Amino acid sequence: WNITLRNADEETQEPSLEDKMKQAAEKLAADFNVSVGTADILVKNGFVTIDGIRAADPETLLEIEGIDRDEVASALGELDK
């Protein structure tokens, strides 16, 4: 016999904020065609979706501390196609 006891909250527990941010970064990386690291920086700066990226001033995105300017510039160029 193998019995595993679980707290009822464990099965219905919402993902943590950190997990949600990680998921958002992974989705943005795939949608925006950038690395997960770059997407993580964008998410932490409030740019969570492609719509948010499109609405942003490109210079604002390129000025984010730690961002890979070449990668973001290339991805922005691809959005316009």
Side-chain angles (χ1 to χ4, degrees), residues 47-73:
F47 300 99
V48 182
T49 65
I50 286 293
D51 290 337
I53 298 287
R54 282 190 173 112
D57 176 37
E59 282 304 312
T60 300
L61 297 173
L62 296 173
E63 292 173 359
I64 294 173
E65 186 175 334
I67 205 81
D68 182 330
R69 292 177 58 89
D70 293 334
E71 183 179 24
V72 171

Side-chain angles (χ1 to χ4, degrees), residues 5-14:
L5 299 176
R6 294 183 187 190
N7 184 332
D9 291 337
E10 287 181 279
E11 293 186 26
T12 60
Q13 187 175 9
E14 287 283 321

Side-chain angles (χ1 to χ4, degrees), residues 3-48:
I3 299 174
T4 303
L5 299 176
R6 294 183 187 190
N7 184 332
D9 291 337
E10 287 181 279
E11 293 186 26
T12 60
Q13 187 175 9
E14 287 283 321
S16 68
L17 178 59
E18 185 176 299
D19 289 339
K20 289 179 181 180
M21 289 183 69
K22 181 180 176 187
Q23 290 172 351
E26 290 169 353
K27 180 167 178 15
L28 186 61
D31 293 347
F32 191 42
N33 198 27
V34 294
S35 69
V36 174
T38 294
D40 185 56
I41 292 170
L42 290 167
V43 168
K44 287 178 179 175
N45 281 275
F47 300 99
V48 182

